[in-house]
Amino acid sequence: MKRGKTAVIVGAQWGDEGKGKIVDVLSENFSVVARYAGGHNAGHTVIINGKKFVLQLVPCGVLRTACRSVIGNGVVLDPMAFLKEVGALREAGVRVDGNLFVSNRAQVILPYHRMIELAAENAPGRVKIGTTSRGIGPAYEDKMGRRGLRVADLLDLQLLRKHIENAVREKNMIAHALFNSEPLDADKMYAEYAAAAEKIAPFVCDTAVLLNQALAAGEPILFEGAQGTMLDIDHGTYPFVTSSSATSGGAAIGTGVAPNAIDSVIGLTKAYCTRVGEGPFPSEDKGAAGDELRKRGNEFGAVTGRPRRTGWLDLPLLRYAGMINGISWLVVTKLDVLDELAEIPVCVGYMVNGKKTMEIPAQASGYDKLECVYEKMPGWRTSTQGVTEFDQLPKAAREYLAFVEKEAGAKVGMVSTGPDRNQIIFLDEFADQLKTASSRNV
């Protein structure tokens, strides 16, 4: 019996590359989709026949009835957000019961995490990161400080009461001393979270065992990342990053499968570039062209509604993402957003003090010294929206994709030409590999 095939989906930019739609499309070929990092700060939008689903914690595989969905141990789980999302999915007729599983080792976000993050983000003199203030960072801090609450502990009501009483006492003192925040009520919190624990319990299991058993049975698994490479806690534009391992390496850590169980890494990039929140963005366009990209691409956060910063495709960063993640296939999304441009700037390199550099700065301040070197590609001035065959794309669009493929060092396997599930182009070699993955390896 052969092990099931696996693939990891990662964002190759600063998140918001369209992972939701792509995971949804690809999940047809996989038995299990497992989310491995982040929290409900990651919004994945999927549009099926014009109907919109915004998923924050639940993997996009849940929209396929034949696919099991797993929230791995690397995720931080807000019980209230989870139950709200599950309720909305049930109302929409999506099967979640018996089809969705939560790791008993995932960390739990509690109200004091939100209180601390909100207060810290607004404190005078603090560097603004531009977080969603949903408690993600402080929950990961407690995890690393070995004072966090895990899902298994949430279900142990005696332990839950003791943990909340001790934590609230400590967090109230810290928040009051540092930020003059209003105190939280431990009794009220316990009552709310004990009730939530009862509703969450049916979803909870040892998901590492579930995933490894599925692999041993020859079932293919898709690992779903959150955010993007340049927001990774180690490899991103620190400190303007998320608090988890958003790169492909996080898939092993965040689910409990071995690193050698991962067969391929699929990197997602928009045909241009966006970023939410503060931090470096070398190819940002703050002028009218950037505004037009935002408008045409509907670049507003799925979770927060915040307008995204927009700019041009950054090939040095794409190459860096390819190196860090081991990307073998690229998926290019939102190609249609570029349809009306006469020419398309692409950042092909960096200059520092008049000299070329291939290195990505370790410090955020290092990006201030970078100057982008642009090459202008001819536009196609023709609608590509809804095109599903590569040969039907305008010649200039095919050349743009070939240029990206050559410069990024990874093959383009899919192209998204609109927001709907069906507005997608599969390239033959990639489609063949997917068929191989989805056939049972028994």
Side-chain angles (χ1 to χ4, degrees):
M1 188 181 287
K2 293 182 181 177
R3 175 178 63 75
K5 292 285 184 182
T6 63
V8 183
I9 290 272
V10 292
Q13 297 169 311
W14 279 284
D16 309 309
E17 300 94 349
K19 291 184 292 298
K21 172 186 169 172
I22 301 305
V23 171
D24 169 60
V25 169
L26 293 181
S27 60
E28 187 177 16
N29 301 280
F30 292 86
S31 299
V32 186
V33 175
R35 167 91 180 267
Y36 64 82
H40 65 307
N41 58 337
H44 289 172
T45 304
V46 180
I47 299 173
I48 303 170
N49 300 324
K51 188 173 183 181
K52 185 176 178 180
F53 297 86
V54 177
L55 301 170
Q56 295 176 18
L57 272 166
V58 178
C60 300
V62 78
L63 301 174
R64 301 272 185 186
T65 52
C67 192
R68 285 172 290 164
S69 293
V70 168
I71 294 175
N73 57 274
V75 175
V76 283
L77 185 99
D78 183 316
M80 304 310 176
F82 173 77
L83 291 172
K84 184 180 176 184
E85 195 169 329
V86 163
L89 286 167
R90 281 185 183 131
E91 280 180 30
V94 176
R95 184 185 163 214
V96 287
D97 301 286
N99 218 25
L100 173 61
F101 304 89
V102 175
S103 171
N104 54 9
R105 289 173 169 81
Q107 295 280 324
V108 176
I109 297 175
L110 288 154
Y112 50 75
H113 292 129
R114 291 192 295 276
M115 173 181 74
I116 294 280
E117 185 165 41
L118 190 61
E121 186 74 353
N122 294 312
R126 287 290 185 103
V127 175
K128 274 198 176 296
I129 304 297
T131 73
T132 55
S133 297
R134 301 199 168 196
I136 310 297
Y140 277 114
E141 284 181 48
D142 278 355
K143 174 181 179 175
M144 292 307 179
R146 293 163 295 179
R147 55 181 177 268
L149 183 84
R150 301 201 291 181
V151 169
D153 307 324
L154 178 73
L155 306 186
D156 182 338
L157 296 187
Q158 193 175 347
L159 193 154
L160 176 65
R161 181 182 283 280
K162 185 179 176 184
H163 181 94
I164 285 176
E165 285 172 355
N166 291 339
V168 166
R169 191 182 308 117
E170 178 189 305
K171 305 293 183 185
N172 278 343
M173 287 172 64
I174 291 169
H176 180 73
L178 292 180
F179 313 117
N180 202 28
S181 298
E182 289 296 311
L184 295 169
D185 184 327
D187 290 336
K188 183 184 174 190
M189 192 186 301
Y190 169 75
E192 289 174 354
Y193 283 77
E198 189 178 348
K199 294 174 184 172
I200 287 170
F203 296 98
V204 178
C205 70
D206 188 330
T207 52
V209 170
L210 183 156
L211 291 169
N212 281 288
Q213 285 178 344
L215 282 176
E219 294 186 62
I221 298 177
L222 184 64
F223 296 97
E224 175 184 331
Q227 286 91 31
T229 299
M230 300 313 297
L231 291 177
D232 183 88
I233 186 68
D234 287 296
H235 304 291
T237 48
Y238 191 90
F240 302 97
V241 291
T242 193
S243 301
S244 59
S245 297
T247 43
S248 60
I253 296 165
T255 61
V257 301
N260 63 358
I262 293 167
D263 295 311
S264 64
V265 179
I266 302 164
L268 265 67
T269 175
K270 281 178 178 162
Y272 50 101
C273 203
T274 63
R275 174 165 198 163
V276 170
E278 307 298 322
F281 186 172
S283 63
E284 183 173 14
D285 190 320
K286 296 180 180 179
D291 290 340
E292 190 61 24
L293 282 177
R294 186 179 302 107
K295 183 180 166 187
R296 282 187 53 77
N298 190 27
E299 295 296 353
F300 298 90
V303 172
T304 62
R306 287 185 294 181
R308 295 181 185 131
R309 297 157 63 191
T310 53
W312 307 108
L313 190 61
D314 187 327
L315 291 172
L317 281 190
L318 201 53
R319 286 192 288 268
Y320 175 76
M323 176 183 76
I324 294 296
N325 291 295
I327 293 171
S328 50
W329 290 101
L330 275 179
V331 176
V332 180
T333 62
K334 294 200 169 185
L335 182 71
D336 54 301
V337 174
L338 304 180
D339 283 350
E340 294 182 5
L341 295 173
E343 53 182 20
I344 304 160
V346 179
C347 173
V348 295
Y350 297 143
M351 300 281 281
V352 176
N353 299 324
K355 294 180 180 177
K356 285 184 181 179
T357 180
M358 299 295 288
E359 202 165 307
I360 303 298
Q363 290 180 293
S365 59
Y367 285 85
D368 298 338
K369 300 168 189 170
L370 290 184
E371 288 179 53
C372 286
V373 177
Y374 287 101
E375 192 165 317
K376 290 189 175 175
M377 299 288 292
W380 40 92
R381 309 298 294 271
T382 308
S383 175
T384 61
Q385 185 159 23
V387 172
T388 56
E389 297 293 334
F390 187 76
D391 292 344
Q392 291 173 3
L393 288 174
K395 182 170 180 283
R398 296 198 305 272
E399 287 172 349
Y400 183 78
L401 292 168
F403 180 72
V404 171
E405 181 177 88
K406 177 175 171 284
E407 292 293 319
K411 290 183 179 180
V412 172
M414 287 171 73
V415 182
S416 176
T417 57
D420 201 90
R421 176 189 268 182
N422 300 317
Q423 293 173 317
I424 202 88
I425 297 169
F426 280 95
L427 278 83
D428 291 344
E429 192 180 344
F430 184 69
D432 290 344
Q433 192 174 94
L434 280 176
K435 285 173 192 168
T436 305
S438 60
S439 59
R440 292 291 186 272
N441 298 297
V442 180

